[in-house]
Amino acid sequence: MSSIALVDCNNFYVSCERIFQPKLIGKPVVVLSNNDGCIIARSQEAKRLGIPMGAPLFQWAEFLRIHDVGVLSSNFALYGDFSSRVMEILASSTPEIEIYSIDEAFLCLKGIANPADYCRKVREKILKWTGIPVSIGIAPTKTLAKVANHRAKRDPSLEGVYAPTLKEISSHLETLPVEEIWGIGRRLTACLEKWGIRTAAQFRNQPEEWVRKSLSVVSMRTLLELRGISCLPIEEVPPQKKSTMTSRSFSIPILAKEDLEEAVASFAARGAEKLRKEGLCASWIQVFIMTSPFQKEEAFYRNQALLTFPEPTSYTPKILSTAKKALQSIFRHGYAYKKAGVLLGDLVPETSYQQDLFSPQNPHQKKREKALMHILDRSEARFGYRALQFAAEGITPAWKRPNSSRSPCFTTRWPDLLTIHI
């Protein structure tokens, strides 16, 4: 029987920070979202204190101070670089790999005689070469590999690698809450609990016909995966994105329309850059704005607007002007806006899309637009983020405060290279 391994970096964002700040080892640490709005990552010590994921910083600031919790601003350049290093090691160690997220990857261990020993060597290699600790769960299916990984993280005696037998897996499923099964969300959990299904084992034991009729094909695949029948193969080539989102919570509420326009323009420009990096074009754009749901004394407002492009595009000026129109239709004076975002959707390859039948086609103009965007992207790659930007984004945005607790980009910026004094 072939095996699948799930490699998951332990408390990834915090682990990256600890590499260059060993004083944080053994100490509770949290990492904040953009503009230090809420908690997006926690060390194991912070989890034991009961600090929840997604908690707003202002609500927990006093608690963090009392318990001497290390608070860091997010440093996505650093995290992305270490993710690439870990994935390169995995790719060089295993012929079939599916990068599932920034800190997770599935490996196909087909043909490997002793998967557990093999994964222990991979784990040691990653720790030695990058300093990032990982946990590895090994099982016949992706879903069961998730279950095994869950146990590998929580049982120190396993030393980060767990390859359970089918009998051991069955025992774990007896106590695993149904909501912790990979692929089962909150809504499905609520439905299953109404039918008295509260554990993974109870779900696994349901008749196939009932699951197919009462739930969905996806739930049916999950059921079979829990029974050890692989339904989700390793996807070496990631599927094409259907949409891309750029959003941010603001460190201070925005009142002025001009400031909100600059923020939305910045998000739209960033989204267009993402499209060009992946050779995609967007068919429509959606802009949303909202006030804080936590300020009970103030009226809550949230709205969104969606506009369709005449034909798919990744040309930043066109995306900026359309984003501004969308914002103008939903902006209301008198509100303190706490978050905004831009969603670009119905993505298609830039080399093949349906052109607008009723719009005049100008190949020369499109060639100029593409050349201009190429210069913009090259300048950013060479000179750094925001080396060139559009005036609509603002020169010194009021909505963007410097992250006071962000660590240096030790591995991606020459000025931030670690200095050693002898």
Side-chain angles (χ1 to χ4, degrees):
M1 180 183 295
S2 61
S3 297
I4 293 176
L6 172 63
V7 182
D8 189 359
C9 301
N10 299 343
N11 308 311
F12 181 57
Y13 290 177
V14 175
S15 294
C16 291
E17 299 287 356
R18 282 173 167 172
I19 291 172
F20 295 101
Q21 301 184 69
K23 64 181 180 181
L24 299 176
I25 297 175
K27 177 180 179 179
V29 178
V30 297
V31 176
L32 305 177
S33 62
N34 284 324
N35 277 1
D36 297 347
C38 59
I39 296 169
I40 60 170
R42 305 157 295 164
S43 67
Q44 204 60 40
E45 297 81 4
K47 293 176 184 177
R48 293 193 195 103
L49 290 175
I51 301 172
M53 179 69 85
L57 177 62
F58 76 93
Q59 290 184 348
W60 286 79
E62 184 63 16
F63 181 92
L64 300 177
R65 185 190 65 79
I66 292 173
H67 291 84
D68 192 29
V69 178
V71 180
L72 298 171
S73 301
S74 53
N75 187 340
F76 293 114
L78 180 68
Y79 311 149
D81 182 62
F82 270 97
S83 174
S84 298
R85 294 172 187 234
V86 171
M87 298 307 165
E88 284 177 8
I89 294 172
L90 293 176
S92 66
S93 304
T94 311
E96 291 185 59
I97 174 175
E98 175 187 336
I99 299 176
Y100 182 66
S101 68
I102 191 172
D103 62 345
E104 290 179 287
F106 288 102
L107 310 179
C108 179
L109 304 181
K110 184 178 181 180
I112 296 177
N114 193 325
D117 286 345
Y118 178 82
C119 287
R120 289 189 186 95
K121 292 177 182 178
V122 171
R123 182 177 184 273
E124 292 172 2
K125 188 176 184 180
I126 293 173
L127 185 62
K128 182 178 181 180
W129 287 18
T130 69
I132 301 293
V134 302
S135 296
I136 306 178
I138 307 167
T141 70
K142 282 184 174 180
T143 304
L144 291 178
K146 277 271 189 179
V147 174
N149 186 279
H150 184 271
R151 179 68 185 276
K153 279 190 171 185
R154 285 157 179 75
D155 189 344
S157 66
L158 297 174
E159 297 182 341
V161 177
Y162 186 41
T165 63
L166 291 178
K167 185 176 180 180
E168 289 172 328
I169 289 176
S170 183
S171 176
H172 297 323
L173 296 182
E174 294 288 345
T175 57
L176 184 70
V178 70
E179 63 266 21
E180 293 190 18
I181 301 174
W182 184 43
I184 293 186
R186 293 180 181 178
R187 290 185 180 180
L188 182 53
T189 296
C191 291
L192 293 175
E193 288 181 346
K194 288 180 181 178
W195 289 314
I197 302 171
R198 293 181 171 81
T199 68
Q202 289 175 329
F203 178 70
R204 177 201 59 190
N205 295 335
Q206 297 304 309
E208 294 182 21
E209 189 65 23
W210 177 83
V211 173
R212 187 181 292 108
K213 287 184 177 180
S214 303
L215 301 177
S216 65
V217 174
V218 175
S219 299
M220 184 63 198
R221 291 192 190 120
T222 302
L223 178 81
L224 295 176
E225 286 257 323
L226 288 173
R227 293 179 178 177
I229 303 171
S230 182
C231 302
L232 303 171
I234 298 292
E235 296 181 355
E236 296 185 76
V237 179
Q240 180 183 301
K241 286 184 177 180
K242 296 182 180 179
S243 63
T244 180
M245 167 74 82
T246 306
S247 67
R248 177 170 291 189
S249 296
F250 308 126
S251 56
I252 56 173
I254 290 181
L255 297 170
K257 181 182 179 181
E258 293 76 15
D259 292 336
L260 197 57
E261 285 178 339
E262 289 183 353
V264 169
S266 181
F267 301 155
R270 178 60 178 153
E273 180 190 341
K274 292 179 184 178
L275 293 180
R276 293 192 296 272
K277 281 185 177 179
E278 300 191 27
L280 300 172
C281 291
S283 302
W284 52 258
I285 182 172
Q286 183 181 73
V287 175
F288 78 86
I289 54 176
M290 63 183 293
T291 60
S292 174
F294 303 106
Q295 299 295 339
K296 303 301 182 183
E297 67 277 5
E298 298 180 4
F300 177 72
Y301 176 72
R302 177 191 173 97
N303 208 342
Q304 59 192 35
L306 187 149
L307 296 177
T308 302
F309 299 112
E311 60 182 46
T313 183
S314 62
Y315 185 52
T316 301
K318 187 178 295 183
I319 292 175
L320 289 180
S321 61
T322 309
K324 186 175 182 179
K325 289 179 184 177
L327 176 62
Q328 288 174 342
S329 69
I330 59 176
F331 178 83
R332 301 291 182 271
H333 290 282
Y335 289 99
Y337 294 97
K338 189 62 178 174
K339 188 175 183 178
V342 171
L343 177 66
L344 295 166
D346 197 4
L347 307 185
V348 295
E350 64 179 2
T351 54
S352 58
Y353 61 83
Q354 181 66 50
Q355 295 182 332
D356 183 18
L357 180 63
F358 301 102
S359 296
Q361 299 298 319
N362 188 336
H364 180 65
Q365 177 64 22
K366 288 186 176 181
K367 188 175 181 180
R368 290 182 60 188
E369 291 176 356
K370 189 172 183 179
L372 179 59
M373 294 299 97
H374 180 68
I375 293 173
L376 180 67
D377 296 337
R378 283 288 301 274
S379 67
E380 183 163 305
R382 181 173 180 180
F383 301 108
Y385 180 57
R386 293 174 69 90
L388 285 178
Q389 65 182 67
F390 290 83
E393 300 178 63
I395 305 301
T396 54
W399 58 272
K400 192 172 184 180
R401 291 293 183 87
N403 301 94
S404 57
S405 304
R406 176 176 291 165
S407 58
C409 297
F410 295 106
T411 63
T412 56
R413 293 185 71 245
W414 286 106
D416 291 348
L417 282 178
L418 193 66
T419 302
I420 300 175
H421 298 280
I422 300 177

